[in-house]
């Protein structure tokens, strides 16, 4: 199958904050962009106001970005970015498949999570629904708000086809938006998915006021846990030491922009999950559904994941955040490296 | 040589913020502590006021902590923590040696840096001056201010003698202060030393207002650089993924408590190094002298260190911080992993 590498246009499927920011990147890169939005009211508001006020307030949409609710228009593009929330991805991919994109169309999976029930990575879900398309992934430390403001960001493009990876790298290389290539698409996706759970843990540490030392210890142990689980699920160790692993973990644990961190911080301050989610409106904190799918994947893989287990217990079993953190911080000291334990 | 492992008392050499916080830890652990201070005026103030107002304001010193300016009193203890600033360590170690500690006395090196000129690690400097003593190291993400307030911290004890490591772990295990053991003393020290330079880089990113995405990218590339250099200088790769590597790197890059971060932030805002250092008074930002010694060690080892090189140029060659950061962020995109480059 010949890969189309000189893209004449692009589409973005999903008009949340990250999808919208990526549409701005594509536009800046010189491509006409179709931005598909599932919600007619939001699409109409975006077309009228010229911004995505709900998800990316105050950032003007360039005129080369055309908003549509007709997924067939997105399906016609040779390059399609898939950016719905993880628990809507399969349904949206099925709708896109029904619209019949050309064989060889390049799909870039940008959502972060593992599918509930199946534990599949997002690119696997996309490939299952659109088997005649080529699938790559894009991930890394990239708050949409900063990308939209053209602050410098560096991400990773993952594909086992080096030509496709380089073609995408050309599209995603601007002065302020840079991409590295990697053949470890699985590792890149796993880092982006798993780190959301640790961001909730980091937020709880902040909400409880446990301090910077405790948070650094938690993030460090989180990186070890992320790497252990990510390798067991098919990623390469060095990928988790890179932008889509430790980089994304850090930005999510330490940035005010992170919704997952905000959920954790609110939990640490004593709010209930239902209240927190109600306050966030349509904004999705991926770490909440992901804590369940990733916890399930870890159990199935037989990997020890003490932090994920505690966050799962806080979110789904009513465990008090302070008790969960106390248990983590009080684990029996031993040798740092598993090899010396 | 039989190691003394049931310590009846301890001494701390160096009464800065970290030395004083460690004296509090030893006291809480049940040991009478001798805290040696080089400055008679500061020692007198501490004895009179009952706090170390200059370096750790508002934290009462327990009465089992006895402040002295007579290094012979410190030399009499079976366990001595070495905590002077890195560029004073050799002189202080020589004074301690002249006071004649018993053979087999356990010295724990807690300073972070490489010696100017020689490029030696702090424990190597201690061992050179006190060859009849046993030397271990203690490092990790641990702002003194938080340790003194009994917020949870986790650190690593490094020694090639597992019995000594475990004996020290017993001393340094409290509900809120936990230690892991490791046989990679070199890696532990190298992480703690090298990370100070990246903290200045992280501070510059903040001072220039470049955003969370750029900072995460910088810290991620910094971790790769720290690991590459640390391994070349004798540490083990897995150590840099632990508390004394990525953990200490993160806490230093993201905490308000970090003096190195503060130096970088002020540089990013346009202040000159001399002004910044004048404002800090007696507080030492180890990253400043360390940028020179570590830059020298990297050149000698033939390791590529683009971030350290830029920070060295900012501190010692008058390069503008914005220009240094622009160069780093604009490096040619390529494969993320060196193996695929």
């Amino acid at each position: 199958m010949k890969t189309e590498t000189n893209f004449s246009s692009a589409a973005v499927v999903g008009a949340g904050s990250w999808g919208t920011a990526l549409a701005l990147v594509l536009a800046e890169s010189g491509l006409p962009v179709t931005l598909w939005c599932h919600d007619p009211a939001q699409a109409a508001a975006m077309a009228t106001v010229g911004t995505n006020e709900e998800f990316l307030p105050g950032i003007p949409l360039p005129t080369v970005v055309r908003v549509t609710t007709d997924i067939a228009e997105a399906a016609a593009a040779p390059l399609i970015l898939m950016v719905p929330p993880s628990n809507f991805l399969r349904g949206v991919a099925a709708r896109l498949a029904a619209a019949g994109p050309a064989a060889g169309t390049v799909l870039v999976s940008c959502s972060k999570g593992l599918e509930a029930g199946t534990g599949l990575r997002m690119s696997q879900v996309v490939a299952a629904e659109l088997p005649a398309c080529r699938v790559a992934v894009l991930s890394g430390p990239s708050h949409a708000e900063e990308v939209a403001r053209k602050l410098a960001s560096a991400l990773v493009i993952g594909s086992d086809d080096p030509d496709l990876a380089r073609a995408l790298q050309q599209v995603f290389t601007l002065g302020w938006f840079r991409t590295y290539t990697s053949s470890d698409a699985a590792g890149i996706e796993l880092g982006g998915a798993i780190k959301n759970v640790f961001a909730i843990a980091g937020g709880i540490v902040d909400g409880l006021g446990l301090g910077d030392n405790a948070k650094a210890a938690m993030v460090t142990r989180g990186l070890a846990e992320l790497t252990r689980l990510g390798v067991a699920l098919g990623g390469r160790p060095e990928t988790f030491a890179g932008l889509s692993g430790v980089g994304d973990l850090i930005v999510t644990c330490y940035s005010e922009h992170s919704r997952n961190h905000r959920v954790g911080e609110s939990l640490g301050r004593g709010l209930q999950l239902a209240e927190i989610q109600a306050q966030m409106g349509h904004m999705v904190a991926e770490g909440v559904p992901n804590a369940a799918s990733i916890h399930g994947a870890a159990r199935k893989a037989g990997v020890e994941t003490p932090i994920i287990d505690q966050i799962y217990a806080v979110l789904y079993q009513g465990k008090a955040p302070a008790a969960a953190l106390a248990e983590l911080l009080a684990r029996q000291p031993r040798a740092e490296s598993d090899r010396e334990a």
Side-chain angles (χ1 to χ4, degrees), chain A:
Chain A
M1 190 185 328
K2 177 79 181 68
T3 298
E4 173 73 66
T5 51
N6 245 329
F7 304 107
S8 54
S9 68
V12 177
V13 169
S17 51
W18 188 218
T20 305
L22 286 171
L24 298 174
V25 171
L26 291 167
E28 182 94 1
S29 190
L31 297 179
V33 184
T34 301
L35 176 57
W36 179 79
C37 176
H38 81 104
D39 176 1
Q42 186 196 336
M46 287 167 75
T48 313
V49 181
T51 64
N52 183 346
E53 278 307 300
E54 187 170 5
F55 290 101
L56 212 52
I59 307 288
L61 297 168
T63 52
V64 294
V65 175
R66 211 165 43 78
V67 179
T68 181
T69 56
D70 179 2
I71 205 155
E73 290 185 36
L79 169 63
I80 307 175
L81 275 48
M82 302 296 289
V83 207
S86 63
N87 52 352
F88 291 116
L89 179 68
R90 187 178 288 272
V92 172
R95 285 177 67 179
L96 185 68
T105 296
V106 172
L107 304 178
V108 181
S109 180
C110 308
S111 302
K112 294 178 179 177
L114 295 186
E115 190 179 42
T118 67
L120 290 173
R121 291 180 275 109
M122 297 292 100
S123 70
Q124 293 176 307
V125 172
V126 171
E129 296 295 327
L130 294 133
C133 295
R134 306 298 309 269
V135 183
V137 305
L138 174 69
S139 193
S142 52
H143 287 299
E145 296 78 359
E146 294 193 351
V147 169
R149 288 168 52 212
K150 301 191 182 176
L151 290 169
S153 300
L155 292 86
V156 191
I157 290 164
S159 168
D160 51 14
D161 175 349
D163 291 334
L164 176 56
R166 275 192 290 269
L168 289 170
Q169 187 179 44
Q170 283 183 13
V171 172
F172 289 108
T173 295
L174 302 167
W176 47 277
F177 193 93
R178 300 198 154 250
T179 45
Y180 295 81
T181 57
S182 165
S183 59
D184 184 20
I188 289 169
E189 285 192 289
L190 289 164
I194 299 169
K195 70 95 182 38
N196 285 330
V197 185
F198 297 112
I200 296 178
I204 292 176
V205 171
D206 288 336
L208 290 169
L210 300 181
D212 296 336
N213 295 351
K215 186 164 173 188
M218 170 70 65
V219 175
T220 303
R221 304 305 288 174
L223 177 61
E225 189 168 318
L226 185 157
T227 304
R228 198 163 58 231
L229 178 58
V231 168
L233 298 179
R236 293 202 301 257
E238 65 268 28
T239 300
F240 302 104
L243 290 165
S244 62
V246 67
D248 204 4
L249 176 69
I250 292 172
V251 86
T252 316
C253 285
Y254 284 92
S255 174
E256 295 301 304
H257 297 304
S258 165
R259 300 172 201 163
N260 295 301
H261 179 271
R262 227 178 300 153
V263 166
E265 194 165 11
S266 301
L267 287 168
R269 291 198 173 136
L271 274 74
Q272 297 299 306
L273 182 58
E275 306 172 64
I276 299 164
Q277 288 186 310
Q279 284 173 8
M280 294 181 82
H282 289 138
M283 292 279 189
V284 174
E286 287 282 14
V288 178
N290 278 222
S293 59
I294 290 167
H295 179 259
R299 291 296 70 73
K300 202 166 152 191
V303 177
E304 203 196 341
T305 53
I307 303 176
I308 291 169
D309 297 354
Q310 293 292 346
I311 300 308
Y312 178 80
V314 168
L315 295 174
Y316 294 104
Q317 299 172 332
K319 186 162 191 171
L325 266 285
E327 251 175 71
L328 285 173
L329 293 169
R331 296 186 85 212
Q332 193 58 35
R334 50 180 181 82
E336 181 172 41
S337 166
D338 291 341
R339 287 204 244 160
E340 295 184 19

